[in-house]
């Protein structure tokens, strides 16, 4: 199937061609016609399947046929859990809408709010936002939704995990009842279905990947190793494999800094991105990584959420994540859009519980490979596949303010003991693209991502 058969207009087809794509991915082929028909959609798709273009393309098509947004008004609202994902969606809107003349704005926390308020004065056909900053702008009367036509929740499962459920409910309450709703999630978990009950009306359900499945295009294995020798093994793997590019995941910010220093000391150019890094430093590190000026990018989970790096060959779990679902998101950074990739985990004996949880979630035992010079002193016990059903987890509740009691003493106590969780750290500035240049010659039949 080609994009010509999906009901998209010539300006959008021209933009798709400009980006070098020829055939839609599975999620795009199913979602685009349903959205163009005006139906509500619930779509389950893993990272790397082209889901962003799956809602961006039909959204642009719909909005191109109506009147442009007036001052402070928004015609389509796209909510994302993190700033880096918001910037990625904004870049997709910019690329595919380049021949349409529609106005789009991206807003998130961690940067000054006044420029965002100024941008919204002229209205936005498409507003891409994180929930917290969007509510801030609404409360300051910088944005109105009287003319809203479409609402998109992107990575809805992650929004629930990060405690945004209360913000989402507040946002739904201020939007017009008559609107089209699009919900995109990695899975149709019980929590997502519960959220959908108050959001979508008689939706078309689309699922292109099994629940919690890892991409078949990603080769996975682990190296049992003592914790204190992980850095040494990583350096050897990079050198012997002659890796040009790899994304390394650390559980902590301190760990990311330490790994980066050890790589640099070994003569391997590396940079770290995490919440404690300045926005400028994160932007430079990501740009250097995409352009090949550094070989290794060391990141924490929040910092890497939503990164779109084409042709990324290797992902390394230096530490296994505490949340098993994060393993699926991590290795989804490679093997994207039909490309192949490798996901390597360095696993110490004290990470046995995390390993078991990952294998239970994915219903797959991860192959073990031993390096002769790194046979662990503390052996990693064998695992067996646990096929018992996994009980659904409850969404996180916002934490009470730390200074609640101090504020009460000063007569400034908040009205309730709950508060909205702070927005995740920004990894990119508004409009800054997260898409890299391909590291390999362009292939035919590429799919938007």
């Amino acid at each position: 199937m080609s994009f010509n058969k999906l009901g998209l207009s010539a300006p959008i087809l021209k933009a798709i061609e400009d980006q070098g794509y020829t055939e839609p991915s599975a999620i795009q082929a199913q979602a685009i016609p349903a959205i163009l028909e005006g139906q509500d959609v619930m779509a389950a798709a893993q990272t790397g399947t082209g889901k962003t273009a799956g809602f961006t393309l039909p959204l642009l098509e719909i909005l191109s046929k109506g009147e442009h947004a007036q001052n402070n008004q928004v015609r389509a609202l796209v909510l994302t859990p993190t700033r880096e994902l918001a910037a990625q969606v904004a870049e997709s809107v910019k690329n595919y809408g380049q021949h349409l003349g529609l106005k789009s704005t991206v807003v998130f926390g961690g940067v000054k709010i006044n420029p965002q308020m100024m941008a919204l004065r002229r209205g936005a056909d498409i507003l891409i936002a994180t929930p917290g900053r969007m509510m801030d702008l609404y409360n300051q009367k910088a944005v109105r939704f009287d003319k809203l036509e479409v609402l998109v929740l992107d990575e809805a499962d992650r929004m629930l995990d990060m405690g945004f459920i209360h913000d989402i409910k507040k946002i739904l309450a201020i939007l017009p009842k008559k609107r089209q709703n699009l919900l995109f999630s990695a899975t149709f978990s019980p929590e997502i279905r519960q959220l959908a009950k108050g959001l979508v009306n008689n939706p078309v359900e689309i699922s292109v990947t099994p629940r919690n499945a890892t991409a078949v295009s990603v080769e996975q294995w682990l190296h049992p190793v003592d914790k204190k020798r992980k850095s040494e093994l990583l350096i050897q793997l990079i050198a012997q494999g002659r890796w040009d590019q790899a994304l390394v995941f650390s559980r902590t910010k301190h760990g990311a800094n330490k790994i980066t220093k050890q790589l640099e000391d070994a003569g391997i150019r590396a940079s770290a991105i995490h919440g404690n890094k300045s926005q400028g430093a994160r932007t430079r590190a990501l740009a250097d990584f995409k352009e090949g000026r550094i070989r290794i990018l060391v990141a924490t989970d929040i910092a890497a959420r939503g990164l779109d790096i084409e042709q990324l060959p290797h992902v390394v779990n230096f530490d296994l994540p505490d949340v098993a679902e994060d393993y699926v998101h991590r290795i989804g950074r490679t093997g994207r859009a039909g490309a192949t990739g490798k996901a390597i985990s360095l696993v110490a004996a004290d990470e046995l519980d995390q390993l078991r949880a990952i294998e239970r979630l994915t219903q797959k035992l991860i192959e073990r490979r031993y390096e002769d010079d790194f046979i662990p002193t503390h052996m990693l016990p064998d695992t067996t596949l646990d096929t018992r059903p996994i009980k659904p987890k409850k969404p996180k509740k916002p934490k009470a303010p730390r200074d609640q009691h101090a504020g009460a003493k000063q007569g400034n106590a908040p009205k309730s003991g709950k508060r909205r969780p702070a927005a995740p750290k920004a990894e990119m500035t508004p409009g800054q693209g997260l898409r890299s240049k391909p590291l390999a010659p362009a292939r035919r039949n590429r799919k938007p991502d």
Side-chain angles (χ1 to χ4, degrees):
M1 178 185 291
S2 70
F3 284 103
N4 294 324
K5 298 180 179 181
L6 294 181
L8 299 171
S9 59
I12 295 178
L13 292 174
K14 176 67 166 60
I16 293 171
E17 183 182 357
D18 291 344
Q19 295 300 309
Y21 301 120
T22 57
E23 293 185 356
S25 68
I27 186 67
Q28 293 157 11
Q30 295 180 60
I32 291 174
I35 296 172
L36 290 179
E37 289 174 3
Q39 295 178 289
D40 283 9
V41 170
M42 280 182 65
Q46 297 287 355
T47 298
T49 56
K51 67 177 178 63
T52 302
F55 65 79
T56 299
L57 294 172
L59 186 62
L60 289 166
E61 181 69 29
I62 292 170
L63 297 177
S64 68
K65 300 181 184 304
E67 295 183 4
H68 288 193
Q70 302 301 311
N71 293 349
N72 296 104
Q73 292 284 358
V74 170
R75 298 175 63 203
L77 173 63
V78 182
L79 292 176
T80 72
T82 64
R83 304 172 193 172
E84 62 274 5
L85 184 56
Q88 177 185 324
V89 173
E91 187 70 6
S92 181
V93 169
K94 176 183 176 183
N95 289 335
Y96 297 124
Q98 59 182 300
H99 304 302
L100 295 175
L102 295 172
K103 296 178 289 186
S104 64
T105 302
V106 58
V107 298
F108 45 65
V111 295
K112 293 181 179 179
I113 196 171
N114 285 342
Q116 296 175 353
M117 295 176 69
M118 294 290 291
L120 286 170
R121 282 186 180 178
R122 63 190 182 97
D125 294 298
I126 302 178
L127 174 63
I128 305 102
T130 51
R133 177 50 62 94
M134 203 227 76
M135 285 304 299
D136 290 341
L137 288 162
Y138 178 78
N139 291 332
Q140 295 193 42
K141 303 187 185 306
V143 60
R144 297 171 59 193
F145 298 104
D146 306 27
K147 306 294 183 181
L148 187 81
E149 301 172 39
V150 186
L151 169 67
V152 183
L153 289 189
D154 191 15
E155 296 204 3
D157 55 324
R158 190 66 173 181
M159 279 199 261
L160 295 186
D161 288 343
M162 296 174 67
F164 283 129
I165 182 61
H166 297 289
D167 274 341
I168 292 173
K169 289 180 177 179
K170 289 178 182 177
I171 292 169
L172 294 179
I174 64 177
L175 300 181
K177 300 299 181 184
K178 187 178 180 181
R179 61 176 189 269
Q180 185 177 9
N181 302 287
L182 313 176
L183 185 152
F184 283 74
S185 173
T187 68
F188 287 152
S189 66
E191 298 83 16
I192 290 298
R193 291 196 177 277
Q194 185 62 35
L195 172 65
K197 287 181 180 179
L199 175 65
V200 293
N201 301 307
N202 192 25
V204 174
E205 287 196 13
I206 300 169
S207 182
V208 297
T209 53
R211 182 179 178 183
N212 296 321
T214 52
V216 295
S217 57
V218 180
E219 182 183 4
Q220 304 170 58
W221 72 86
L222 66 84
H223 292 289
V225 61
D226 288 328
K227 180 174 291 188
K228 64 182 179 181
R229 299 197 68 194
K230 282 189 177 184
S231 294
E232 188 182 350
L233 175 56
L234 175 61
I235 291 168
Q236 176 173 299
L237 292 173
I238 294 170
Q240 289 185 351
R242 297 181 179 179
W243 295 357
D244 291 324
Q245 192 180 48
L247 177 60
V248 177
F249 282 96
S250 167
R251 188 182 297 120
T252 66
K253 302 169 188 176
H254 172 73
N257 289 336
K258 184 177 179 180
I259 295 165
T260 302
K261 184 178 186 305
Q262 290 168 329
L263 292 173
E264 289 280 349
D265 290 343
I268 299 170
R269 289 180 296 175
S271 288
I273 58 171
H274 53 67
N276 285 352
K277 291 281 187 178
S278 70
Q279 186 164 311
R282 293 193 299 271
T283 302
R284 287 191 299 273
L286 185 57
D288 287 344
F289 184 60
K290 291 179 176 181
E291 297 296 333
R293 291 187 288 271
I294 62 171
R295 295 169 65 186
I296 311 298
L297 187 66
V298 187
T300 54
D301 285 300
I302 290 295
R305 186 71 178 182
L307 290 186
D308 188 4
I309 304 166
E310 289 186 5
Q311 308 296 324
L312 178 64
H314 301 93
V315 167
V316 178
N317 294 297
F318 190 92
D319 305 306
L320 289 184
D322 290 324
V323 179
E325 286 86 349
D326 285 341
Y327 175 83
V328 177
H329 292 301
R330 285 181 178 188
I331 71 172
R333 300 299 102 203
T334 186
R336 297 170 68 89
T340 58
K342 295 178 172 63
I344 303 103
S345 300
L346 311 183
V347 185
D350 64 354
E351 295 175 294
L352 179 63
D353 289 343
Q354 289 97 318
L355 175 60
R356 284 173 172 162
I358 290 167
E359 292 179 333
R360 182 182 181 188
L361 179 75
T362 61
Q363 285 297 290
K364 180 180 180 181
L365 293 177
I366 302 175
E367 177 191 353
R368 300 186 183 204
R369 299 182 185 179
Y370 290 87
E371 290 291 319
D372 291 339
D373 295 334
F374 292 89
I375 302 299
T377 302
H378 304 286
M379 295 300 294
L380 179 67
D382 291 335
T383 56
T384 57
L385 200 58
D386 186 346
T387 58
R388 292 176 299 167
I390 299 175
K391 293 182 180 180
K393 59 186 178 180
K394 295 181 180 180
K396 293 181 179 179
K397 294 182 180 180
K399 297 179 180 179
R402 293 180 180 177
D403 58 350
Q404 180 178 354
H405 299 296
K409 292 179 181 178
Q410 298 173 8
N412 296 320
K415 294 182 180 180
S416 70
K418 296 182 180 180
R419 68 173 181 179
R420 166 179 53 77
K425 295 285 185 178
E427 308 306 329
M428 305 295 295
T429 55
Q432 176 69 38
L434 290 180
R435 180 178 299 281
S436 70
K437 295 181 179 178
L439 296 178
R443 306 184 311 282
R444 291 184 178 181
N445 299 337
R446 293 174 60 218
K447 300 174 177 60
D449 52 343

